[in-house]
């Protein structure tokens, strides 16, 4: 109860120590004098499974690799296959289709995350956290539906789903760059501006813990990178568009390094839990003669989801399974979580670390992952994972995944991911009982959508 009244820091930390002792944190972290942890979420845009150094040797990501090596690698982390739905699910802990968000919010759409929806930001803010978003929002395209309407004290970046990295305008020319939900014009590459503002926020300090949601604009097209970032790839990546993609990833990786360095300089790294994830799988290619007045592209080769099947927008693993890890210096051991984790899990997990529990009225659909992440509990069975993208839907129960498309005349697709993670063999024809079972599971989930 006293959390709602914002108690003094010692009482708050004492309560946190008692709470976290029950979920497997080391005794040193549960000490009464330990402050609530800062929370940083880093989201790449359209980063593929094989586009991080710790999954494949082609791209240079030394900062991400270092964090992943000493943190918990999430080797079966699931998101939605496109950006707006993933961001809605990440911030609300609920399936985005519950809000009617099944695809990117585009054009001059008035669609938004419904006002008054509880978010991770609003929940942490109630618990005394300073909350800020830096980078991509994409849950409302106008300032009146910007991040500050959903629990963020501060917001800086862009409202739309894609922007020119230097003009910061949307593909149709609309303004998007803002500070605290007010349009502004600034010079510089979006990656540099996003990390600059994040570092300033960290350096500003304060007695209260903070939540920083850092949503990068890359490696989403349009790709615009200086020679500083393209040069390291000149002799190793022959395709020009793939080389630009790699440069944007290297640029983002350096930005992550600057954020970690700022935390170290402020003595906050051991007090900060860091989640890194992509919003969806990589896009295969891009070409448009009208977007950005035809100034950018074509990009015949972009990301790399190998060995997974499919691309951004697809319900195959390549669209919904992404590179991700959790890092907390001195609190998490280097390990790999091979059981399912989901974008929906972070709201309840981080709220637990903030010394609280979700309100049942919020109807969160994720689960607290801390027992698995801390190593106290192993082999937990994930809840049913569900995707509804309008023209297609899917469910994942255990290792069985079923995809149903309204445009497919051949019926459902069924895959056993334990034996066939690349989804090469459709087993639906030989497993009618499993298909019927998952169809019932799918129908139950669809009944919860508006």
């Amino acid at each position: 109860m006293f959390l709602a009244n914002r108690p003094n820091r010692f009482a708050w930390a004492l309560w946190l120590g008692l709470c976290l002792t029950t979920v497997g944190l080391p005794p040193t972290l549960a000490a009464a004098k330990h402050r609530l942890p800062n929370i940083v979420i880093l989201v790449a845009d359209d980063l593929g499974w094989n586009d991080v150094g710790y999954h494949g040797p082609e791209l240079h990501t030394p900062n991400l690799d270092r964090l992943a090596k000493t943190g918990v690698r999430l080797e079966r982390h699931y998101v939605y296959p496109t950006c707006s739905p993933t961001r809605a699910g990440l911030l609300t802990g609920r399936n985005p289709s519950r809000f009617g968000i099944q695809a990117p919010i585009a054009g001059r759409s008035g669609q938004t995350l419904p006002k008054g929806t509880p978010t991770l930001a609003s929940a942490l803010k109630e618990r005394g956290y300073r909350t800020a978003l830096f980078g991509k929002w994409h849950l409302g395209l106008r300032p009146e539906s910007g991040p500050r309407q959903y629990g963020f004290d501060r917001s800086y970046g862009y409202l739309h789903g894609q922007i020119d990295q230097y003009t910061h305008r949307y593909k149709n020319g609309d303004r998007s760059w803002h500070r605290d939900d007010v349009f502004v014009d600034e010079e510089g590459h979006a990656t540099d501006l996003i990390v600059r503002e994040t570092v300033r926020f960290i350096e500003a300090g304060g007695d209260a813990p903070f939540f920083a949601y850092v949503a990068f604009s890359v490696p989403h097209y349009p790709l615009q990178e200086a020679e500083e970032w393209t040069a390291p790839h000149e002799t190793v990546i022959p395709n020009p568009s793939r080389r630009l993609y790699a440069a944007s990833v290297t640029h983002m990786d350096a930005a992550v390094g600057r954020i970690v360095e700022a935390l170290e300089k402020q003595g906050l790294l051991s007090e900060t839990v860091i989640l890194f994830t992509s919003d969806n799988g990589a896009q295969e290619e891009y070409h448009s003669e009208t977007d950005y007045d035809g100034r950018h592209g074509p990009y015949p080769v972009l990301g790399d989801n190998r060995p997974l099947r499919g691309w951004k927008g697809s319900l195959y693993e390549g669209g919904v399974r992404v590179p991700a890890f959790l890092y907390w210096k001195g609190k998490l051991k280097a390990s790999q979580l091979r059981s399912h984790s989901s974008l929906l899990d972070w709201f309840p997990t981080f709220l637990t670390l903030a010394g609280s529990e979700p309100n049942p009225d919020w109807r969160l659909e994720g689960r607290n992952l801390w027992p698995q992440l801390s190593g106290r509990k192993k082999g937990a069975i994930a809840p049913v994972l569900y995707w509804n993208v309008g023209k297609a839907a899917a469910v994942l129960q255990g290792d069985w995944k079923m995809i149903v498309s309204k445009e497919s005349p051949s019926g459902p697709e069924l895959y056993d991911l334990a034996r066939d993670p690349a989804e090469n063999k459709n087993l639906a024809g030989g497993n009618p009982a499993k298909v019927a079972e998952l169809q019932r599971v799918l129908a139950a989930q669809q009944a919860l959508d508006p």
Side-chain angles (χ1 to χ4, degrees):
M1 177 181 292
F2 56 77
L3 283 177
N5 297 322
R6 299 196 180 184
N8 67 62
R9 185 171 165 183
F10 177 82
W12 207 353
L14 176 60
W15 192 91
L16 174 67
L18 294 173
C19 174
L20 295 186
T21 299
T22 67
V23 292
L25 286 183
T28 53
L29 182 56
K33 291 186 179 181
H34 188 89
R35 63 177 282 164
L36 294 172
N38 304 310
I39 297 167
V40 175
I41 298 179
L42 307 171
V43 181
D45 200 339
D46 290 6
L47 184 73
W49 179 261
N50 206 36
D51 291 328
V52 288
Y54 65 87
H55 277 168
E58 186 179 41
L59 270 61
H60 303 298
T61 57
N63 293 292
L64 293 175
D65 295 351
R66 192 176 304 114
L67 296 175
K69 182 179 180 180
T70 52
V72 180
R73 282 172 50 176
L74 308 168
E75 292 298 274
R76 294 192 68 178
H77 187 58
Y78 288 97
V79 295
Y80 245 65
T82 55
C83 34
S84 292
T86 288
R87 292 159 206 277
L90 179 64
L91 287 175
T92 67
R94 299 185 64 198
N95 199 294
S97 58
R98 311 301 188 220
F99 308 109
I101 299 176
Q102 301 174 324
I105 298 173
R108 293 187 169 93
S109 169
Q111 184 182 21
T112 67
L113 185 67
K115 294 288 182 68
T117 300
T119 67
L120 177 59
S122 63
L124 292 175
K125 184 175 180 178
E126 288 179 0
R127 283 143 186 83
Y129 274 70
R130 295 178 291 125
T131 60
L133 180 145
F134 305 106
K136 180 175 179 175
W137 173 236
H138 209 185
L139 291 174
L141 307 183
R142 300 293 303 166
E144 56 267 24
S145 55
R148 294 185 74 206
Q149 311 303 313
Y150 299 88
F152 289 98
D153 297 318
R154 296 183 55 189
S155 66
Y156 175 83
Y158 60 109
L159 299 171
H160 290 74
Q162 53 181 273
I163 53 166
D164 183 291
Q165 304 294 341
Y166 287 101
T167 69
H168 314 138
R169 298 235 170 193
Y170 185 46
K171 63 183 178 181
N172 64 4
D174 284 353
R175 299 183 74 184
S176 192
W177 203 257
H178 68 96
R179 182 185 295 277
D180 293 334
D181 299 352
V182 176
F183 287 134
V184 295
D185 293 312
E186 293 188 317
E187 295 184 357
H189 192 287
T191 299
D192 297 325
L193 296 179
I194 290 166
V195 71
R196 182 195 69 184
E197 203 72 11
T198 305
V199 168
R200 285 177 176 174
F201 177 74
I202 292 169
E203 292 176 342
D207 291 333
F210 65 79
F211 166 46
Y213 174 42
V214 186
F216 291 104
S217 61
V218 292
H220 197 298
Y221 65 84
L223 301 173
Q224 301 157 269
E225 297 295 338
E227 185 179 1
E228 173 187 5
W229 306 111
T230 59
H233 306 283
E234 289 288 344
T235 59
V236 293
I237 301 179
N239 184 278
S241 65
R242 174 65 176 170
R243 192 161 59 237
L244 267 175
Y245 181 97
S248 72
V249 174
T250 302
H251 194 175
M252 178 188 68
D253 181 79
V256 171
R258 287 182 58 191
I259 292 170
V260 173
E261 182 183 24
L263 290 167
E264 286 182 309
K265 287 183 177 180
Q266 296 299 313
L268 296 174
L269 191 58
S270 62
E271 297 183 353
T272 304
V273 57
I274 301 173
L275 168 67
F276 175 82
T277 182
S278 180
D279 62 345
N280 44 250
Q283 184 159 332
E284 182 178 16
E285 55 83 28
Y286 167 78
H287 171 70
S288 174
E289 296 180 358
T290 56
D291 292 355
Y292 308 101
D293 295 324
R295 294 192 307 274
H296 302 300
Y299 306 114
V301 181
L302 289 173
D304 184 355
N305 293 325
R306 292 177 298 174
L308 306 179
R309 176 183 179 182
W311 299 97
K312 173 183 178 179
S314 162
L315 292 176
Y316 295 118
E317 295 287 280
V320 298
R321 182 175 164 189
V322 295
F325 61 78
L326 195 74
Y327 172 86
W328 195 353
K329 182 179 179 180
K331 310 301 186 300
L332 288 172
K333 295 180 180 180
S335 61
Q336 294 185 29
L337 183 66
R338 295 192 175 275
S339 59
H340 304 163
S341 59
S342 161
L343 73 163
L344 306 181
D345 295 331
W346 299 111
F347 193 148
T349 299
F350 288 141
L351 202 58
T352 295
L353 295 181
S356 188
E357 295 182 358
N359 185 326
D361 292 339
W362 298 345
R363 293 178 289 170
L364 301 191
E365 297 177 81
R367 69 223 158 102
N368 171 24
L369 280 179
W370 188 253
Q372 287 78 32
L373 296 167
S374 63
R376 188 185 126 187
K377 186 176 182 181
K378 298 184 182 297
I381 298 175
V384 170
L385 299 183
Y386 163 64
W387 296 266
N388 180 353
V389 297
K391 293 183 179 180
V395 287
L396 174 61
Q397 185 178 60
D399 287 316
W400 289 95
K401 180 178 174 185
M402 185 182 72
I403 302 173
V404 178
S405 172
K406 295 179 180 178
E407 300 177 344
S408 173
S410 58
E413 297 177 55
L414 179 69
Y415 299 99
D416 180 356
L417 298 181
R419 295 177 174 83
D420 180 23
E423 298 170 301
N424 290 318
K425 188 174 182 180
N426 180 3
L427 301 176
N431 293 271
K434 179 59 70 173
V435 169
E437 176 189 349
L438 293 182
Q439 283 178 327
R440 291 191 292 272
V441 172
L442 178 61
Q445 288 292 325
Q446 289 176 320
L448 299 175
D449 289 340

